[in-house]
Amino acid sequence: MSDATGDKVLVTGALGQIGTDLIQALRERHGNESVIASDIRESAGHPSVEGGPFMILDVLDTDGISRICQNEGVGTIYHLAALLSAVGERDPDLCRRINVGGTISVLEAAKVCNLKVYSPSSIAVFGPDSPKHATQGAALNPTTVYGETKVMGEALAREYLGRFGVDTRGIRYPGLISYKAPPGGGTTDYAVEIFHAALKEGHYECFVRPETRLPMLYMDDAIDATLTLMDSSDDSLGDSRVGYNIPCLSFSAEELANAISERIEGFTCVFVPDVRQEYADSWPDSIDGSVAESEWIWSPDFDLSSLVDEMLRGISSS
Ligand code: NAD
Ligand code: SER
């Protein structure tokens, strides 16, 4: 596998929940000018737009991606543009087009421009038949279209690695909890919304049942895991490199609400499940990240208690 050609980094979907934090971390590492943020939309005042180069880029435009990479000397692409589960299930055709089509575009550009690619997967690759503590090798039979697109994304990344030598890597992110940008329309959004509602209204109407338990992670840990994987030597990575389960937290919606109640006097939460309950029920409660842990040595810093403290501090001071 040959080295990527340029030193610069391109991020697609950079205005989203993960992109907002990842761009900041990448710019701290590589310098502002070396990290190009891109998205299909513009957002004046957004830190990804203001803090360094920003370009409008539709991930379905393979030639556009190749042109930017060649003209700007890009060697690595973090491909974050996608539709998340709740939005995706509302428009399955669009979800397939953007999630699968966008990944093909990025991989084609990577083949032509010799790029190293980070393309995230999700715990949504698992379906109701996976063990509730899902192992790396558990069957991937999702019942959401979003989950299907993530299984397909892993298969495509594996194919471009095997057939064309493209250096592809990915993590099956759990639900990510952060405060710098709002979540983009996923099933795990309740675990972010609850903090904003608690501080603003003292009350939250949660769209999953109290006992709903899902794998979760604080954003700083997700960014750290991502950069650790991308820094890892190629020969340390095994067959799971396009979709690693990583060590993460697991808590129920009620446990999260209780942790917030302990810190905000009078906070109340009611549970009124909607269609997103079905998606949550089809995913595992927790995941086994031992393969990632052994191949590139990573573990999270934040537990439920420190995550709640950090979210309340971050929202209050922003
Ligand atoms: P997000 O919805 O917050 O952001 C996605 C961004 O992609 C948005 O800014 C949107 O404008 C952009 N976009 C949409 N269509 C586009 C197109 N055609 N061209 C270019 N940009 C386009 O999503 P996120 O939470 O930042 O997720 C990023 C990636 O991580 C996705 O692949 C998602 O499936 C995966 N992931 C996220 C989570 C999570 O909890 N946030 C969990 C598991 C996996
Ligand atoms: N957090 C994401 C979602 O809920 C999981 O991929 O869609």
Side-chain angles (χ1 to χ4, degrees):
M1 211 172 290
S2 52
D3 287 338
T5 40
D7 290 335
K8 288 195 183 172
V9 175
L10 174 66
V11 179
T12 72
L15 301 188
Q17 188 194 3
I18 301 176
T20 303
D21 281 81
L22 182 64
I23 285 282
Q24 190 183 332
L26 288 169
R27 285 184 175 154
E28 277 163 19
R29 277 185 153 209
H30 301 287
N32 290 353
E33 294 309 311
S34 297
V35 179
I36 304 165
S38 74
D39 205 288
I40 199 167
R41 61 192 165 102
E42 169 80 78
S43 176
H46 190 287
S48 298
V49 176
E50 303 295 323
F54 174 81
M55 295 181 185
I56 294 284
L57 176 65
D58 182 344
V59 278
L60 298 181
D61 178 7
T62 310
D63 292 343
I65 300 173
S66 298
R67 208 167 33 248
I68 290 175
C69 293
Q70 279 158 350
N71 292 347
E72 302 292 331
V74 169
T76 303
I77 185 161
Y78 289 80
H79 171 45
L80 303 181
L83 296 193
L84 271 71
S85 57
V87 172
E89 298 313 294
R90 284 204 294 271
D91 192 342
D93 289 344
L94 187 64
C95 182
R96 287 192 191 94
R97 205 153 63 239
I98 293 178
N99 294 11
V100 180
T103 302
I104 292 172
S105 274
V106 166
L107 291 169
E108 274 297 306
K111 187 174 79 176
V112 172
C113 304
N114 197 22
L115 308 176
K116 182 171 174 177
V117 179
Y118 179 78
S119 185
S121 185
S122 163
I123 52 151
V125 292
F126 297 110
D129 63 344
S130 84
K132 277 299 169 193
H133 183 62
T135 51
Q136 181 71 46
L140 305 182
N141 294 309
T143 47
T144 58
V145 170
Y146 171 72
E148 284 171 13
T149 69
K150 289 295 170 186
V151 174
M152 184 70 80
E154 290 189 15
L156 285 163
R158 192 171 295 109
E159 180 188 336
Y160 275 72
L161 170 70
R163 281 180 65 195
F164 308 116
V166 177
D167 182 343
T168 49
R169 305 175 185 206
I171 289 171
R172 290 173 180 160
Y173 288 135
L176 300 183
I177 300 178
S178 69
Y179 62 87
K180 290 183 191 147
T187 301
T188 57
D189 289 14
Y190 68 86
V192 176
E193 290 173 3
I194 192 171
F195 289 97
H196 293 275
L199 284 167
K200 210 168 159 208
E201 327 279 351
H203 179 73
Y204 182 58
E205 186 174 297
C206 182
F207 58 77
V208 295
R209 284 191 297 269
E211 67 276 17
T212 305
R213 180 176 293 280
L214 285 171
M216 296 279 182
L217 202 59
Y218 187 57
M219 183 64 82
D220 287 14
D221 279 329
I223 300 295
D224 188 50
T226 304
L227 298 179
T228 303
L229 171 60
M230 289 300 272
D231 285 345
S232 299
S233 69
D234 192 61
D235 56 11
S236 66
L237 307 178
D239 291 343
S240 309
R241 61 183 288 157
V242 295
Y244 280 109
N245 285 8
I246 56 170
C248 58
L249 312 179
S250 169
F251 48 80
S252 69
E254 185 169 44
E255 286 164 356
L256 177 60
N258 288 344
I260 295 172
S261 302
E262 284 165 17
R263 290 157 175 86
I264 299 183
E265 208 183 325
F267 171 64
T268 52
C269 185
V270 293
F271 299 88
V272 184
D274 67 18
V275 67
R276 289 167 283 189
Q277 181 71 54
E278 273 174 44
Y279 315 148
D281 287 346
S282 75
W283 298 345
D285 292 354
S286 60
I287 54 176
D288 172 15
S290 54
V291 173
E293 217 171 1
S294 67
E295 290 183 5
W296 42 282
I297 326 225
W298 183 83
S299 57
D301 282 338
F302 286 83
D303 60 12
L304 175 58
S305 176
S306 50
L307 173 159
V308 170
D309 287 337
E310 200 53 20
M311 282 295 287
L312 294 174
R313 187 204 58 73
I315 297 170
S316 302
S317 61
S318 51

